[in-house]
Short mmCIF file of all heavy atoms in Angstrom, two decimals:
data_model
loop_
_atom_site.label_atom_id
_atom_site.label_comp_id
_atom_site.label_asym_id
_atom_site.label_seq_id
_atom_site.Cartn_x
_atom_site.Cartn_y
_atom_site.Cartn_z
N PRO A 70 198.99 -20.52 250.14
CA PRO A 70 199.69 -21.16 251.26
C PRO A 70 200.22 -22.56 250.95
O PRO A 70 201.04 -23.07 251.70
CB PRO A 70 198.63 -21.21 252.36
CG PRO A 70 197.33 -21.00 251.69
CD PRO A 70 197.61 -20.18 250.47
N PHE A 71 199.76 -23.17 249.86
CA PHE A 71 200.20 -24.53 249.57
C PHE A 71 201.25 -24.59 248.48
O PHE A 71 201.60 -25.67 248.01
CB PHE A 71 199.00 -25.42 249.21
CG PHE A 71 198.17 -25.81 250.42
CD1 PHE A 71 197.44 -24.85 251.10
CD2 PHE A 71 198.14 -27.12 250.89
CE1 PHE A 71 196.69 -25.17 252.21
CE2 PHE A 71 197.38 -27.46 252.00
CZ PHE A 71 196.66 -26.49 252.67
N SER A 81 203.22 -15.19 256.30
CA SER A 81 202.96 -16.28 257.26
C SER A 81 202.32 -17.46 256.53
O SER A 81 201.48 -18.16 257.10
CB SER A 81 202.04 -15.77 258.38
OG SER A 81 200.77 -15.41 257.85
N LEU A 82 202.71 -17.67 255.27
CA LEU A 82 202.07 -18.72 254.46
C LEU A 82 202.14 -20.12 255.10
O LEU A 82 201.15 -20.85 255.06
CB LEU A 82 202.66 -18.73 253.05
CG LEU A 82 202.29 -17.51 252.19
CD1 LEU A 82 203.18 -17.39 250.96
CD2 LEU A 82 200.82 -17.58 251.76
N PRO A 83 203.27 -20.51 255.72
CA PRO A 83 203.28 -21.84 256.35
C PRO A 83 202.25 -21.97 257.48
O PRO A 83 201.63 -23.03 257.65
CB PRO A 83 204.71 -21.98 256.89
CG PRO A 83 205.52 -21.02 256.07
CD PRO A 83 204.60 -19.89 255.76
N LEU A 84 202.06 -20.88 258.24
CA LEU A 84 201.05 -20.93 259.31
C LEU A 84 199.64 -20.96 258.71
O LEU A 84 198.73 -21.59 259.24
CB LEU A 84 201.21 -19.73 260.24
CG LEU A 84 202.48 -19.73 261.09
CD1 LEU A 84 202.61 -18.45 261.89
CD2 LEU A 84 202.48 -20.94 262.03
N GLU A 85 199.49 -20.27 257.61
CA GLU A 85 198.19 -20.28 256.92
C GLU A 85 197.88 -21.70 256.44
O GLU A 85 196.77 -22.20 256.60
CB GLU A 85 198.20 -19.30 255.74
CG GLU A 85 196.86 -19.20 255.04
CD GLU A 85 196.86 -18.17 253.91
OE1 GLU A 85 197.91 -17.55 253.65
OE2 GLU A 85 195.80 -18.03 253.27
N GLN A 86 198.92 -22.35 255.89
CA GLN A 86 198.72 -23.74 255.44
C GLN A 86 198.35 -24.63 256.62
O GLN A 86 197.45 -25.48 256.52
CB GLN A 86 199.99 -24.27 254.76
CG GLN A 86 199.80 -25.69 254.30
CD GLN A 86 201.02 -26.32 253.63
OE1 GLN A 86 201.23 -27.51 253.76
NE2 GLN A 86 201.78 -25.53 252.87
N GLN A 87 199.04 -24.42 257.75
CA GLN A 87 198.72 -25.24 258.92
C GLN A 87 197.28 -25.02 259.38
O GLN A 87 196.56 -25.97 259.71
CB GLN A 87 199.69 -24.91 260.06
CG GLN A 87 199.53 -25.87 261.23
CD GLN A 87 200.52 -25.61 262.34
OE1 GLN A 87 201.54 -24.94 262.13
NE2 GLN A 87 200.22 -26.11 263.53
N LEU A 88 196.85 -23.76 259.37
CA LEU A 88 195.47 -23.46 259.76
C LEU A 88 194.48 -24.21 258.86
O LEU A 88 193.54 -24.84 259.35
CB LEU A 88 195.23 -21.94 259.64
CG LEU A 88 193.77 -21.50 259.80
CD1 LEU A 88 193.33 -21.61 261.26
CD2 LEU A 88 193.56 -20.07 259.31
N ILE A 89 194.73 -24.15 257.55
CA ILE A 89 193.81 -24.80 256.61
C ILE A 89 193.82 -26.33 256.84
O ILE A 89 192.77 -26.98 256.84
CB ILE A 89 194.19 -24.45 255.15
CG1 ILE A 89 194.02 -22.94 254.91
CG2 ILE A 89 193.35 -25.26 254.16
CD1 ILE A 89 192.62 -22.39 255.10
N ARG A 90 195.01 -26.90 257.09
CA ARG A 90 195.08 -28.34 257.34
C ARG A 90 194.33 -28.73 258.61
O ARG A 90 193.63 -29.74 258.66
CB ARG A 90 196.54 -28.79 257.46
CG ARG A 90 197.27 -28.82 256.14
CD ARG A 90 198.59 -29.60 256.25
NE ARG A 90 199.38 -29.44 255.06
CZ ARG A 90 199.13 -30.07 253.90
NH1 ARG A 90 198.12 -30.91 253.80
NH2 ARG A 90 199.91 -29.86 252.85
N GLU A 91 194.49 -27.90 259.65
CA GLU A 91 193.81 -28.23 260.91
C GLU A 91 192.30 -28.10 260.77
O GLU A 91 191.54 -28.91 261.30
CB GLU A 91 194.34 -27.35 262.05
CG GLU A 91 195.77 -27.71 262.41
CD GLU A 91 196.31 -26.96 263.62
OE1 GLU A 91 195.53 -26.34 264.36
OE2 GLU A 91 197.55 -27.01 263.81
N LEU A 92 191.86 -27.08 260.03
CA LEU A 92 190.42 -26.95 259.80
C LEU A 92 189.93 -28.10 258.92
O LEU A 92 188.83 -28.63 259.13
CB LEU A 92 190.09 -25.60 259.17
CG LEU A 92 190.25 -24.37 260.09
CD1 LEU A 92 190.06 -23.09 259.30
CD2 LEU A 92 189.25 -24.43 261.25
N GLY A 93 190.76 -28.49 257.95
CA GLY A 93 190.41 -29.63 257.10
C GLY A 93 190.17 -30.88 257.95
O GLY A 93 189.20 -31.61 257.75
N ALA A 94 191.06 -31.10 258.93
CA ALA A 94 190.90 -32.27 259.81
C ALA A 94 189.63 -32.12 260.65
O ALA A 94 188.86 -33.08 260.81
CB ALA A 94 192.13 -32.41 260.71
N LEU A 303 194.84 -19.05 263.74
CA LEU A 303 195.51 -20.25 264.25
C LEU A 303 195.74 -20.13 265.76
O LEU A 303 195.56 -21.08 266.51
CB LEU A 303 196.84 -20.45 263.51
CG LEU A 303 197.55 -21.77 263.78
CD1 LEU A 303 196.71 -22.95 263.30
CD2 LEU A 303 198.92 -21.81 263.09
N LEU A 306 192.51 -20.94 267.44
CA LEU A 306 192.25 -22.38 267.46
C LEU A 306 193.06 -23.06 268.56
O LEU A 306 192.54 -23.88 269.32
CB LEU A 306 192.67 -23.01 266.13
CG LEU A 306 191.66 -23.19 265.01
CD1 LEU A 306 192.23 -24.13 263.96
CD2 LEU A 306 190.33 -23.72 265.52
N HIS A 307 194.36 -22.70 268.63
CA HIS A 307 195.23 -23.33 269.62
C HIS A 307 194.97 -22.80 271.01
O HIS A 307 195.04 -23.53 271.99
CB HIS A 307 196.69 -23.14 269.23
CG HIS A 307 197.09 -23.94 268.03
ND1 HIS A 307 198.38 -24.28 267.74
CD2 HIS A 307 196.34 -24.51 267.04
CE1 HIS A 307 198.42 -25.01 266.62
NE2 HIS A 307 197.19 -25.14 266.18
#
Side-chain angles (χ1 to χ4, degrees):
F71 285 68
S81 64
L82 290 165
L84 292 175
E85 184 177 1
Q86 179 181 147
Q87 188 177 341
L88 171 73
I89 296 299
R90 287 195 189 283
E91 290 185 14
L92 289 173
L303 189 63
L306 267 194
H307 289 202

